[in-house]
Amino acid sequence: MPKAAAHPMPTRILCLGATSAIAEATLRIFAERGASLFLVARSAEKLEAVAADLRTRGAAAVATHVMDLDDTAAHPAMLTSASLNLGTIEMALLAHGTLGDQPEAEVSYPAAEAILGTNFLAPVSLITWLANYFEQSKQGTLAVISSVAGDRGRKSNYVYGSAKGALSLFLDGVRNRIDRAGVQVLTIKPGFVATPMTAHLPRSPLFASPDTIARGIVQAVEKRKDVVYLPAFWALIMFIIRSIPGRIFKKLNL
């Protein structure tokens, strides 16, 4: 008789930023496995289109909640609604974020603040509520999309990168606190992904599809990983980049 898995895959999933390309591709995999989903995003039209697609793919149930996730004051009510709808939140996928305008952020504090707010402060608000929820229920997977950009500051995107770096560090601490309660805290670090958010960037062989990233996320959840680089070769690339001495690194155009 096959041995039962110590941690069965989640079937009741909350997704924050559900209309992002990576989130949508990941949700399709869980929908095909019959999961119940609670989706949150800002655009009602896009959200309903994603929900309709997931229903046709086999999701047991799909509920939606329209809101701007930068509105941190509204987080507790939305998260409470999600927990009541799902019964138990078994997994939360945080895919909320924006690349922002680096040149504008270099000369405008409000522009830099907006990037930091969306990519760091709003996730901190969500993670704080969810970490306590999962810790109290002694179960759950908290999967958060960070970025390889957070591994080392580069002139091309250091505002976005600093927000993601701070987010990864925050997740390290949360994991150290609630892992002993049986909660998986997964930091997801994609490299370049071919999504609408990166449509303005020139394509290269380093770009991956959202479907590739989604499969990697699901495998990382299955294996109860702490941190995952997607695709995996980015772990080597970022090791090399982190290893470049500062006196050399500051002269590079990265």
Side-chain angles (χ1 to χ4, degrees):
M1 180 180 294
K3 186 177 180 180
H7 296 279
M9 281 296 283
T11 59
R12 302 180 185 192
I13 299 168
L14 163 67
C15 185
L16 304 153
T19 58
S20 82
I22 294 175
E24 186 176 356
T26 306
L27 289 167
R28 286 175 179 166
I29 296 174
F30 283 105
E32 290 167 354
R33 298 181 178 187
S36 296
L37 308 169
F38 190 96
L39 314 179
V40 183
R42 182 172 53 188
S43 168
E45 183 179 359
K46 292 181 180 177
L47 190 57
E48 188 47 48
V50 171
D53 175 64
L54 296 173
R55 291 187 185 103
T56 64
R57 291 176 184 271
V62 183
T64 60
H65 186 104
V66 177
M67 70 169 292
D68 182 351
L69 286 167
D70 284 351
D71 181 7
T72 56
H75 287 176
M78 176 274 294
L79 292 164
T80 299
S81 176
S83 67
L84 292 173
N85 180 276
L86 291 171
T88 300
I89 302 172
E90 296 177 355
M91 172 176 162
L93 173 63
L94 273 67
H96 175 59
T98 180
L99 198 55
D101 188 326
Q102 171 68 26
E104 183 183 9
E106 291 175 8
V107 297
S108 166
Y109 172 70
E113 183 183 37
I115 296 172
L116 294 170
T118 297
N119 292 298
F120 179 58
L121 295 177
V124 165
S125 171
L126 296 163
I127 293 166
T128 298
W129 192 98
L130 288 163
N132 286 297
Y133 173 87
F134 286 138
E135 183 180 37
Q136 290 169 13
S137 59
K138 299 188 182 304
Q139 61 80 40
T141 293
L142 180 54
V144 182
I145 297 180
S146 184
S147 172
V148 297
D151 277 20
R152 192 165 191 181
R154 295 176 293 120
K155 73 174 189 179
S156 61
N157 69 349
Y158 64 81
V159 179
Y160 171 80
S162 62
K164 291 298 191 181
L167 178 59
S168 295
L169 192 63
F170 186 81
L171 289 167
D172 285 346
V174 171
R175 180 182 306 109
N176 186 236
R177 179 191 134 204
I178 66 174
D179 175 79
R180 65 205 67 188
V183 182
Q184 179 191 17
V185 178
L186 172 62
T187 304
I188 302 158
K189 295 186 176 184
F192 295 123
V193 186
T195 68
M197 193 168 79
T198 61
H200 63 290
L201 299 176
R203 292 293 187 257
S204 77
L206 292 177
F207 274 78
S209 71
D211 288 338
T212 297
I213 304 301
R215 289 192 292 273
I217 291 173
V218 173
Q219 289 172 1
V221 172
E222 289 174 334
K223 296 179 179 178
R224 304 284 293 180
K225 288 190 173 182
D226 296 331
V227 180
V228 63
Y229 287 82
L230 295 173
F233 60 74
W234 277 100
L236 176 60
I237 291 175
M238 297 315 299
F239 172 77
I240 293 170
I241 289 179
R242 290 194 305 271
S243 301
I244 299 173
R247 66 181 184 280
I248 296 174
F249 192 82
K250 66 184 180 182
K251 299 180 184 301
L252 301 178
N253 288 316
L254 296 174

